[in-house]
Amino acid sequence: MKPGALLCMFAVAAVAAGRARGEPLESEPVEPSAWDERDVDRLGWWVPDFVEVQTGGYVGLVAGGFGYAIFDHVLELSLAYGYTPAFVAGRGTHVLAWEGAVRPFDVRIGPTRLVPIYAGAGGLYALGGDFFVNEPDRYQNSDYYDPTALHWTLHVGVELGFLPSPDSFVERHSAYAELRTIDVLFEALVTNGREIDLHEAVAAGLGYRLAF
Amino acid sequence: MRRVLPAIVAAAGQLGCLTATPFGSAVADEDRDTIAKNLARLLEAGPVAPPFTFVALGDTHSELDDLADTVAILGSSRGDARFVVHTGDLTDNGLLVEFEWAKERLDRLPMPYLTSLGNHDALSRGDRIYGAMFGPYDYSFVYGGVKFVFFDSNTLEHEGEAPRREWLSAELGRLDGATRAIAVTHQPVNDPDDVEGGDTDVFYRDLARDHDVALFVHGHIADFAVVPFEDGLRASTSTFEGGHYTIVTVLDDGLAFERCAFDRCAIVSPPYGPVPHDTPIP
């Protein structure tokens, strides 16, 4: 079979599949919406797909950030800034947190969208003079310590979203809950099977995402 | 509002879930001033005279299973020990939760314990946490005719502040009715971590030569040793991994040592070592 014929058959099959899913033909100018697709880049790919606020989860008493949905929102990347005031942390604490999360599937029932589980990894960067990435010059053995300002993280979460009408600027309102651990605590959990329980090595975070 | 908000946050914390940050340094009231509390317990028991025994261990870091096992063994079979000294490095990263984990295990000891600041304890906000949870970096007391002097030797972490040379010289020069001194610290006094061109090792040698220091107990290095140091002795407790600790018995006219790993102990006579910490105990 000629390559051109193969391509033609593939195109026909794709159109037929689109019709079967109720997707519009190219000739029908309908704006995509979150009701049809998990990730809609109406504002351009460079515009963040969501903003979020969170409390807990080692990121801060109050944290805010933004992120991108990639591969039809199977992958999510985000960056957040978190602050914990002195009356909680003993000293005002500023943190940058970045993470990637895989969201393999979701469940849609009417205007609600449930992501029953997502999981990911990321990092925390503690700002301020109490922490370092590179050891101060007075350390002649420059790799004696791991960076105290940088820590890797692991997390799992669940998200429950509400989809406004298809013509709304807002694609989705979501509440989410996460459990996060950081390197120091995870390693302690792994190496101290009897003395450290899971709940001692993770922190819960609660948040809200606004997707657009 | 200024009271309500912290109360709400504290309530959330009681649920054990919404930990805002791992980098905090707010020590709970019940966890504060551990050295003062334990010292009061020790001294309230009344005067003692040699012979008496204490346990030295250090560098427990995140070895919490081993620490819990060792604490259980000391509680059940070494009840003759009057107190335990921890030569520092209770943590790896100086995080609050690490201090809490270490303290929770050490609190299970039936005898009082006293601590020295380790270099890892001074990382992040660890020195601030240590100060609130345990107490001063430098302190002394007289027990059983011996003056015990605990001091901060982390010159790199506390550049220009550790060791406090004048304080240390004064404390060891004034025995307060004791007949000899035992100094407890983290860094090895024969070869401490130091800034480039530093002379801290020379200071320690002069200190040992000029004062009646029967023993320096320290941690930080992996090897175990009980060896001469100027006119006295130096005992390196070695790394803790594998439940290693040292039992020191203060005699009328000297000191006796046992090298232990969990429940196995062997008498060692100085000079002994340095030997790697995993050298089998007969």
Side-chain angles (χ1 to χ4, degrees):
Chain A
M1 191 179 290
K2 290 182 179 175
L6 242 181
L7 201 62
C8 182
M9 284 177 64
F10 182 78
V12 169
V15 170
R19 277 189 171 281
R21 295 205 311 266
E23 290 179 3
L25 290 173
E26 282 184 11
S27 58
E28 299 170 356
V30 176
E31 280 286 314
S33 86
W35 286 72
D36 308 308
E37 300 177 16
R38 285 163 49 132
D39 174 31
V40 183
D41 280 332
R42 285 179 300 188
L43 304 177
W45 65 267
W46 63 90
V47 178
D49 293 309
F50 61 87
V51 292
E52 61 187 5
V53 291
Q54 177 177 325
T55 183
Y58 294 139
V59 180
L61 183 68
V62 182
F66 64 93
Y68 293 88
I70 302 170
F71 304 132
D72 198 27
H73 210 171
V74 171
L75 181 64
E76 191 173 277
L77 302 175
S78 65
L79 176 68
Y81 159 78
Y83 174 65
T84 308
F87 72 80
V88 174
R91 200 169 191 189
T93 302
H94 306 264
V95 162
L96 287 179
W98 59 95
E99 63 189 36
V102 176
R103 306 154 68 94
F105 60 93
D106 59 22
V107 178
R108 294 186 212 187
I109 303 172
T112 63
R113 175 182 153 185
L114 173 69
V115 180
I117 187 168
Y118 62 89
L124 288 181
Y125 175 51
L127 301 154
D130 292 334
F131 310 96
F132 61 75
V133 176
N134 296 310
E135 292 169 1
D137 292 340
R138 61 181 179 275
Y139 289 91
Q140 295 166 53
N141 180 3
S142 62
D143 58 354
Y144 186 77
Y145 295 119
D146 292 332
T148 59
L150 282 174
H151 297 269
W152 56 258
T153 66
L154 298 172
H155 70 278
V156 294
V158 57
E159 181 184 289
L160 180 62
F162 169 74
L163 308 176
S165 65
D167 57 352
S168 169
F169 172 76
V170 175
E171 284 183 18
R172 190 176 69 256
H173 301 278
S174 299
Y176 64 91
E178 292 180 347
L179 293 175
R180 180 176 283 102
T181 186
I182 70 167
D183 48 9
V184 178
L185 309 186
F186 182 76
E187 287 162 11
L189 175 69
V190 169
T191 56
N192 296 279
R194 285 181 287 112
E195 284 296 314
I196 301 298
D197 292 329
L198 179 64
H199 76 272
E200 296 178 274
V202 300
L206 298 174
Y208 165 75
R209 284 193 186 100
L210 176 71
F212 47 84
Chain B
M1 190 63 187
R2 292 180 65 182
R3 290 187 177 185
V4 171
L5 204 54
I8 293 172
V9 172
Q14 290 298 315
L15 294 175
C17 57
L18 294 173
T19 305
T21 179
F23 306 112
S25 56
V27 175
D29 287 345
E30 63 270 24
D31 284 340
R32 300 178 81 90
D33 303 322
T34 304
I35 291 171
K37 291 173 185 170
N38 282 345
L39 202 48
R41 273 179 63 202
L42 179 68
L43 300 179
E44 279 169 7
V48 295
F52 68 90
T53 293
F54 69 92
V55 175
L57 54 82
D59 297 271
T60 50
H61 293 284
S62 58
E63 307 286 343
L64 297 168
D65 280 358
D66 284 356
L67 179 57
D69 290 343
T70 302
V71 163
I73 289 164
L74 292 174
S76 63
S77 64
R78 297 308 304 227
D80 57 324
R82 300 302 181 99
F83 59 96
V84 173
V85 302
H86 192 300
T87 58
D89 276 1
L90 298 117
T91 70
D92 275 331
N93 294 269
L95 298 183
L96 176 60
V97 67
E98 294 181 285
F99 281 107
E100 291 172 338
W101 285 347
K103 182 178 183 299
E104 190 182 325
R105 275 77 197 173
L106 290 168
D107 281 349
R108 299 176 193 167
L109 284 164
M111 65 285 280
Y113 64 91
L114 302 157
T115 57
S116 188
L117 180 79
N119 58 306
H120 282 262
D121 302 329
L123 295 176
S124 304
R125 291 170 174 166
D127 42 12
R128 179 187 303 263
I129 297 166
Y130 179 93
M133 186 176 286
F134 292 98
Y137 305 153
D138 303 314
Y139 61 101
S140 68
F141 60 95
V142 174
Y143 184 82
V146 177
K147 184 166 187 178
F148 288 87
V149 179
F150 287 63
F151 67 97
D152 178 10
S153 54
N154 301 296
T155 303
L156 289 176
E157 287 69 28
H158 293 156
E159 189 178 7
E161 299 172 12
R164 288 168 59 200
R165 297 187 181 197
E166 287 185 15
W167 179 88
L168 194 49
S169 298
E171 285 295 317
L172 292 173
R174 187 189 67 240
L175 291 182
D176 299 330
T179 57
R180 53 195 153 158
I182 291 177
V184 180
T185 194
H186 183 65
Q187 296 280 335
V189 286
N190 61 311
D191 185 23
D193 291 347
D194 204 348
V195 296
E196 193 169 2
D199 64 348
T200 309
D201 57 339
V202 176
F203 166 70
Y204 288 143
R205 290 194 181 282
D206 291 344
L207 195 70
R209 197 178 302 123
D210 297 343
H211 300 89
D212 190 8
V213 186
L215 175 68
F216 285 89
V217 184
H218 67 81
H220 190 62
I221 56 175
D223 293 348
F224 175 86
V226 183
V227 292
F229 184 68
E230 298 303 326
D231 298 331
L233 293 170
R234 172 179 72 83
S236 168
T237 60
S238 87
T239 187
F240 180 72
E241 185 183 352
H244 288 86
Y245 58 94
T246 308
I247 294 176
V248 183
T249 301
V250 178
L251 305 167
D252 280 325
D253 56 352
L255 300 165
F257 299 89
E258 292 173 70
R259 175 174 171 245
C260 303
F262 292 127
D263 56 353
R264 284 178 298 126
C265 292
I267 295 171
V268 294
S269 299
Y272 179 93
V275 295
H277 77 282
D278 53 359
T279 302
I281 294 174

